[in-house]
Amino acid sequence: MRVAVFDTKPYDRQYLQAHKEVQWLFHEFRLGRETVRTSEGAGCVCVFVNDRVDAETIRCLRQYGVKLIALRCAGFNNVDLKAAQAAGIPVVRVPAYSPYAVAEHAVALLLALNRKIHRAYNRVREHNFALTGLVGFDLHGKTVGIVGTGKIGRIAAEIFRGFGTRVLAYDPFPQTTWAAEKGIEYVPMSDLLVRSDIVSLHVPLTPETFHFLNTERFNQMKPGAYLINTSRGKLIDTVALIDSLKSGHLGGVALDVYEEEEGVFFEDLSGQVLLDDELSRLLTFPNVLVTSHQAFLTHEALTEIARVTAANIVHLEKGEPFEPGTLLQPQ
Ligand code: NAD
């Protein structure tokens, strides 16, 4: 089966191409209304986090005879599942390619930001061996608030427990046995914000979690608190975040995702004028560290993404059930 793969980079191609049972047709551009025409003749489209698979795009996919939308990621907020169901096109994702990759990146961001590793690296390269301005804090004894204790949040919580931190958690569906075993305390969201020195977001983006952190919630956070977001950019109201940083209320912010990352993250824009004023402003803060949606980017995760995606395409061709837990249904 021919599979049109959108928004691809060399690392995507390397791992997908290992599956020779599928005929991959790689595109660097993203799928959306403007590009959907290129799906003509493909049995399947394979998309990533910033492809826009809205109702109009799905209508065209159906017209072109596309039989499967395969997300090579876990989050699916960019696909209109109701429209896909109405069009009779199944949507599959890779629900858990490596929760360790994302949880470990969240911790890596916090360690780098707190201990100013990124600044120290640049200084030492310039033969500036001074330590002024590089003071961090011990994680041991601090309180970490994990928002969302799904696959990634639970691993992040356990890693943080290893540092000797107290871990608070909030989730509408608490995992009470796990929490008791790991010494983790579920609390209401407002308590988590008031009590945590570090808050890490691990919730999906849904209509309910859009701008989950806004001015009111930033004000509830401890003065000097650190915030980590490796989940989805739109969980945070960026304007409110910038205000909180400017006022000196937040101590540090580490972001792997950004509200308007589409068209910016994953691209080499060096040498170009950055047109996004809010991202530009965020990059000026010495206590903000941004990576470009790379938390998933490990060998293990890319291997698993390619394996599950190829397997689901083969299953479709053979009329077999999809890999367990990968088929999405509208809620
Ligand atoms: P998951 O489905 O296993 O867990 C999500 C958890 O969030 C669930 O326990 C759910 O009950 C909880 N939740 C839902 N709404 C909530 C709310 N309003 N408040 C608190 N908790 C809420 O998902 P996961 O595999 O742990 O992934 C979490 C998110 O991480 C994904 O949705 C995705 O957006 C993001 N992600 C990012 C990257 C990256 O590269 N940066 C990679 C993979 C996933």
Side-chain angles (χ1 to χ4, degrees):
M1 179 180 289
R2 275 163 70 87
V3 178
V5 194
F6 293 87
D7 202 9
T8 60
K9 297 285 182 255
Y11 45 84
D12 296 308
R13 290 174 218 143
Q14 181 193 335
Y15 284 85
L16 289 171
Q17 268 167 344
H19 294 272
K20 304 211 182 307
E21 62 278 23
V22 176
Q23 201 185 335
W24 307 103
L25 185 67
F26 295 113
H27 298 304
E28 286 185 11
F29 51 82
R30 292 189 296 279
L31 177 61
R33 293 176 190 191
E34 307 76 24
T35 57
V36 65
R37 186 177 285 273
T38 59
S39 314
E40 206 162 356
C44 167
V45 291
C46 179
V47 298
F48 197 48
V49 293
N50 289 324
D51 293 286
R52 253 196 229 164
V53 196
D54 58 12
E56 176 59 20
T57 303
I58 289 169
R59 194 187 61 73
C60 297
L61 291 176
R62 181 168 184 262
Q63 198 183 318
Y64 298 146
V66 168
K67 293 180 181 57
L68 178 68
I69 298 168
L71 282 151
R72 49 182 201 281
C73 53
F76 50 88
N77 50 283
N78 53 334
V79 181
D80 187 331
L81 293 181
K82 283 199 181 120
Q85 189 181 53
I89 305 178
V91 182
V92 289
R93 65 170 175 153
V94 189
Y97 38 85
S98 171
Y100 301 99
V102 184
E104 289 172 13
H105 192 73
V107 179
L109 281 175
L110 175 69
L111 291 175
L113 181 65
N114 166 31
R115 302 306 300 270
K116 281 96 177 150
I117 305 290
H118 53 310
R119 302 184 70 194
Y121 172 79
N122 284 330
R123 277 192 195 182
V124 169
R125 281 173 67 87
E126 298 267 317
H127 297 182
N128 174 356
F129 299 101
L131 299 184
T132 308
L134 300 185
V135 179
F137 56 83
D138 288 8
L139 283 184
H140 185 268
K142 297 293 182 298
T143 300
V144 179
I146 299 288
V147 186
T149 52
K151 292 175 286 297
I152 296 169
R154 288 203 301 280
I155 292 166
E158 290 175 27
I159 298 173
F160 279 120
R161 285 291 287 147
F163 281 100
T165 62
R166 175 195 302 270
V167 175
L168 307 177
Y170 170 72
D171 196 303
F173 302 98
Q175 307 271 335
T176 42
T177 312
W178 164 79
E181 271 172 17
K182 303 291 176 189
I184 289 158
E185 185 189 352
Y186 275 103
V187 294
M189 185 61 195
S190 53
D191 285 17
L192 181 146
L193 291 175
V194 169
R195 290 170 59 191
S196 297
D197 301 295
I198 296 140
V199 173
S200 191
L201 299 182
H202 301 286
V203 293
L205 177 66
T206 62
E208 294 75 49
T209 59
F210 175 77
H211 283 187
F212 189 74
L213 291 190
N214 51 20
T215 303
E216 193 190 334
R217 284 195 157 149
F218 287 131
N219 290 341
Q220 284 181 286
M221 289 174 73
K222 267 189 178 179
Y226 274 48
L227 171 65
I228 315 164
N229 187 10
T230 54
S231 213
R232 282 291 179 269
K234 288 187 194 321
L235 295 176
I236 292 179
D237 177 343
T238 309
V239 174
L241 176 69
I242 290 171
D243 285 345
S244 189
L245 281 161
K246 280 168 78 176
S247 73
H249 182 67
L250 285 178
V253 176
L255 304 174
D256 185 52
V257 286
Y258 168 63
E259 199 169 355
E260 302 298 336
E261 67 182 51
E262 193 185 323
V264 178
F265 281 19
F266 309 127
E267 306 303 331
D268 179 0
L269 303 183
S270 52
Q272 292 188 35
V273 173
L274 192 53
L275 296 175
D276 184 320
D277 289 351
E278 271 128 28
L279 180 58
S280 306
R281 184 68 179 96
L282 278 176
L283 295 176
T284 67
F285 292 101
N287 53 348
V288 172
L289 181 57
V290 179
T291 53
S292 151
H293 208 137
Q294 73 173 73
F296 73 99
L297 201 67
T298 65
H299 168 71
E300 289 77 6
L302 290 170
T303 304
E304 183 63 4
I305 289 169
R307 184 193 71 77
V308 172
T309 304
N312 273 336
I313 291 160
V314 171
H315 291 323
L316 177 82
E317 277 183 306
K318 293 186 175 170
E320 297 167 352
F322 292 114
E323 293 288 289
T326 61
L327 181 63
L328 287 166
Q329 304 284 1
Q331 304 201 325

